[in-house]
Amino acid sequence: MAVTRERLLNLMKAQCEIFSTTYNPDGIRMGNVILKQRLRGPSLAKYYPPRGPTINKLANDFKVLQLESINEREDDRIEHLAAVKARGKGPPKKMKGPPRPSLPEVRREKKQTPI
């Protein structure tokens, strides 16, 4: 005696309600396996040591005391950018306003040489 599909689906629905699982009679991939896995972020964050203070962070913290700080790397970077710009090798300036309408391209046909 064969059991009908409808009866099996009703049984599966009752099982899902009892055991609080997702009712998925068609077997569609829903990503539940991945969603049930524990998060990896906290363990990765614990693996790497915390970052130390940077010169910029320390300078911002001590601005209240009106202390001046010198960041040699930043000064060198700005000096290098100024030298590069003076040679004309710097990044192009940003466009201001809407873009210009482009001109239609004119295709030139190649001349065929007689044989």
Side-chain angles (χ1 to χ4, degrees), residues 2-115:
V3 182
T4 62
R5 175 168 168 73
E6 184 180 332
R7 191 162 173 144
L8 285 174
L9 289 177
N10 288 338
L11 173 66
M12 202 159 63
K13 190 181 283 188
Q15 280 179 337
C16 290
E17 288 175 8
I18 292 170
F19 297 112
S20 66
T21 58
T22 307
Y23 177 65
N24 186 9
D26 299 328
I28 298 170
R29 297 180 75 172
M30 300 172 80
N32 287 341
V33 173
I34 293 170
L35 293 174
K36 286 180 185 176
Q37 292 175 356
R38 68 183 182 86
L39 298 175
R40 296 183 180 140
S43 58
L44 283 176
K46 278 193 281 182
Y47 179 79
Y48 293 104
R51 286 187 163 188
T54 62
I55 294 174
N56 289 338
K57 285 183 183 178
L58 288 174
N60 286 337
D61 291 342
F62 288 109
K63 266 187 184 174
V64 177
L65 301 174
Q66 298 176 348
L67 296 176
E68 186 179 330
S69 65
I70 299 170
N71 188 348
E72 289 184 14
R73 279 191 178 174
E74 184 68 16
D75 292 343
D76 288 344
R77 186 183 76 84
I78 291 171
E79 200 172 295
H80 174 72
L81 287 176
V84 167
K85 265 189 182 175
R87 289 184 290 161
K89 302 288 185 177
K93 293 182 180 179
K94 287 188 175 180
M95 293 280 294
K96 292 183 180 178
R100 295 184 304 198
S102 60
L103 299 173
E105 292 184 24
V106 178
R107 292 188 179 186
R108 296 182 183 171
E109 294 184 21
K110 293 182 180 180
K111 295 181 181 177
Q112 293 181 355
T113 54
I115 299 176

